[in-house]
Amino acid sequence: MIVDFHCDTLYLAEKYGRDMTIKNTEGHIDLIRLEKGLVHFQVFATFVEPEFMKKDAAAKTLKMIDKLYQAIEKSDKIRLILNGDDIDKAKDEGKIAALLSIEGGEAIEGDLSLLRMFYRLGVRAMTLTWSLRNDIGDGVLGCKDCGITQFGESVVKEMNRLGMIVDVSHLNERGFWDVVDLCDKPFIASHSDCKVLCNHPRNLSDKQIKAIADKNGVIGINFCPDFLKEDGNATIEDVLDHVEYIAKLVGAEYVGFGSDFDGIEKTPVGLHDASCFPQLIQGLKKRGFNDDEIDLISHGNFERIIKEILH
């Protein structure tokens, strides 16, 4: 079984009217390909394009959330995950578990009441920033010397109180260390890779990886070729390299998958869409990971986070 903690399918559904409940010839994810890929748990992120970040961010986010609710109404194969018990219920029912995440805190438009309303609509995770600056802090393309804002501090604390997963992918390093100090629960990097293997601004240093592990968090390996290999010509073996690197550095208990499917234009050779996840499992076996370690990496680690944080 597979947990994939990041995709941008709702963004494509809202922008192009794509129906994820039927087989698509474009993109990377639909219910048919998720089932073929043994993905029993998919996190659906909402992403607001930069031109809407200062205007209509909340409205755009609501439209993407509605796309998931439309899919749930149309198909009997999806269960929305609101708490840890829902994971087991989805398994028992043979449904794909779907968790809502916001990619970039600009969606709450500087207002904690909007954060709480998104929570009431089912959102259970949020990346604090995309790559640019917002009211919470700076992304990797923003100010390097600026940390989490005073408002950002209140966001992290409120997410901890509500039972929402704090996600530091895209956040700049200064802000990252602020989250380490602020967050009193495990946090994640839903779709990031290892800077030692590929020196990209979006990737994590060894020190950051260790800090996430020290907080009992999880890192989801991103399939974007530019994050996997500096020349951008990545294969499935490069994804496995990043998984193996984290497992050796801090343990198999702190790494999983965050594909970024439908948010990347190019995919690694051998991982063209969600149906290819079983090849990753076979690759882990070939590299000597035992069944217990593979269970942790494929689904157990992120399920642990969800059951610990979601009320």
Side-chain angles (χ1 to χ4, degrees):
M1 295 189 293
I2 304 290
V3 174
D4 176 15
F5 217 89
H6 188 86
C7 77
D8 286 299
T9 307
L10 296 181
Y11 164 73
L12 295 183
E14 195 278 322
K15 187 171 183 177
Y16 300 113
R18 193 171 296 171
D19 184 351
M20 74 173 77
T21 66
I22 61 174
K23 182 70 164 66
N24 285 282
T25 57
E26 297 179 326
H28 308 130
I29 285 179
D30 49 50
L31 292 189
I32 291 82
R33 285 181 282 185
L34 288 175
E35 289 182 330
K36 185 177 179 181
L38 307 180
V39 180
H40 78 285
F41 194 126
Q42 180 66 58
V43 176
F44 290 94
T46 64
F47 167 70
V48 176
E49 294 169 298
E51 57 263 40
F52 300 110
M53 286 180 178
K54 299 289 186 182
K55 180 184 178 182
D56 298 330
K60 283 279 185 181
T61 301
L62 286 170
K63 289 180 180 180
M64 285 178 267
I65 291 172
D66 182 57
K67 288 296 181 182
L68 180 60
Y69 275 98
Q70 286 182 44
I72 292 171
E73 289 173 1
K74 184 175 182 180
S75 171
D76 62 357
K77 295 181 178 180
I78 311 170
R79 183 183 183 95
L80 183 65
I81 301 302
L82 301 176
N83 54 57
D85 291 341
D86 286 337
I87 300 173
D88 297 324
K89 290 176 183 176
K91 290 177 183 177
D92 292 341
E93 296 165 352
K95 294 183 178 182
I96 291 172
L99 186 142
L100 274 167
S101 174
I102 289 174
E103 182 173 20
E106 52 275 359
I108 66 173
E109 298 185 355
D111 191 336
L112 287 179
S113 66
L114 289 184
L115 176 70
R116 289 187 285 269
M117 289 307 301
F118 282 126
Y119 177 85
R120 294 181 182 111
L121 287 172
V123 175
R124 291 296 183 268
M126 184 170 75
T127 55
L128 299 180
T129 70
W130 186 63
S131 295
L132 304 176
R133 180 175 179 81
N134 63 21
D135 294 313
I136 295 170
D138 280 88
V140 294
L141 300 181
C143 170
K144 289 181 172 55
D145 298 322
C146 299
I148 295 295
T149 65
Q150 187 173 359
F151 174 70
E153 292 181 12
S154 66
V155 168
V156 171
K157 291 175 182 177
E158 185 68 354
M159 289 178 71
N160 281 176
R161 187 190 71 82
L162 289 169
M164 293 181 70
I165 299 168
V166 175
D167 184 356
V168 297
S169 282
H170 286 283
L171 188 63
N172 72 354
E173 189 165 353
R174 174 74 182 274
F176 175 95
W177 293 113
D178 287 341
V179 171
V180 172
D181 293 334
L182 286 165
C183 211
D184 58 15
K185 294 183 180 180
F187 64 88
I188 68 168
S190 63
H191 57 304
S192 296
D193 296 335
C194 309
K195 191 160 284 188
V196 164
L197 299 182
C198 179
N199 189 23
H200 192 283
R202 273 278 284 106
N203 289 345
L204 301 166
S205 68
D206 283 5
K207 189 176 178 182
Q208 288 175 297
I209 293 168
K210 290 176 181 177
I212 292 173
D214 287 343
K215 284 280 192 174
N216 214 25
V218 182
I219 298 151
I221 296 302
N222 192 318
F223 297 175
C224 177
D226 288 338
F227 302 168
L228 293 165
K229 200 171 181 182
E230 291 185 16
D231 65 5
N233 295 314
T235 71
I236 188 172
E237 295 301 320
D238 295 296
V239 174
L240 292 166
D241 284 347
H242 284 258
V243 173
E244 188 171 21
Y245 184 83
I246 292 175
K248 287 182 175 179
L249 182 67
V250 293
E253 301 88 348
Y254 307 106
V255 61
F257 301 123
S259 69
D260 214 355
F261 276 147
D262 285 333
I264 51 178
E265 295 182 2
K266 182 181 176 183
T267 60
V269 175
L271 284 174
H272 57 271
D273 62 24
S275 69
C276 298
F277 271 105
Q279 281 85 292
L280 279 172
I281 304 305
Q282 292 302 315
L284 291 172
K285 289 180 179 178
K286 288 179 181 178
R287 292 191 179 215
F289 286 87
N290 62 42
D291 289 345
D292 289 340
E293 291 170 327
I294 292 172
D295 283 346
L296 289 173
I297 295 165
S298 63
H299 63 97
N301 292 331
F302 274 127
E303 287 185 0
R304 166 180 60 80
I305 289 282
I306 290 161
K307 289 180 177 181
E308 180 173 350
I309 296 178
L310 271 57
H311 298 158

